[in-house]
Amino acid sequence: MPAELPPSPSNRVKIAVAVVLLVTLAYSLVIAGQILLWFVLVGIAAGVYIAWLLVLAVFRLVDAIERIAATREAEVSGGDRTDETDTQKTDSESPNAERSAGDDVAGAEPGRDAFGDDA
């Protein structure tokens, strides 16, 4: 999506909007004879424009959340790979590689399990 949403209107669009506003004002004053009609027409147009801005804001929000999720996913998947590699290195470098972490219990003598049996 472009960086600037909504895009700034060109001079032609600004002139067209001004002409439409003047024509609707002339219609409401001269033909219908009610100035309130013009405010209703302008209010409807402004409401449609604000609804469009809301839709654009929701699209930008969804895009931002998707980018954040992709970044977090890349961080997590990259972080897990380094943790697995470090764990594999420490397991293979330990002098007693056949022992597991569950064999070591606080207070147990080295070489014996939690029940005092020889490991």
Side-chain angles (χ1 to χ4, degrees):
M1 293 189 110
E4 186 183 348
L5 285 176
S8 58
S10 65
N11 286 336
R12 286 184 180 181
V13 172
K14 290 177 185 177
I15 292 171
V17 168
V19 167
V20 168
L21 286 174
L22 289 175
V23 168
T24 56
L25 180 63
Y27 172 80
S28 65
L29 287 176
V30 176
I31 297 175
Q34 297 177 353
I35 186 70
L36 198 54
L37 178 64
W38 184 75
F39 287 112
V40 170
L41 293 174
V42 171
I44 290 171
V48 169
Y49 179 69
I50 290 172
W52 175 248
L53 291 179
L54 180 64
V55 168
L56 289 178
V58 168
F59 280 131
R60 290 184 66 178
L61 181 66
V62 167
D63 185 45
I65 290 173
E66 286 176 349
R67 284 187 282 125
I68 290 170
T71 303
R72 295 282 302 223
E73 186 176 317
E75 288 175 357
V76 168
S77 65
D80 286 345
R81 290 183 186 148
T82 58
D83 291 341
E84 291 172 3
T85 307
D86 293 342
T87 305
Q88 290 171 354
K89 286 181 182 178
T90 55
D91 287 343
S92 63
E93 292 173 359
S94 66
N96 199 355
E98 65 273 354
R99 289 188 58 185
S100 66
D103 292 339
D104 295 330
V105 177
E109 295 178 20
R112 294 183 181 257
D113 62 6
F115 300 107
D117 298 331
D118 291 329

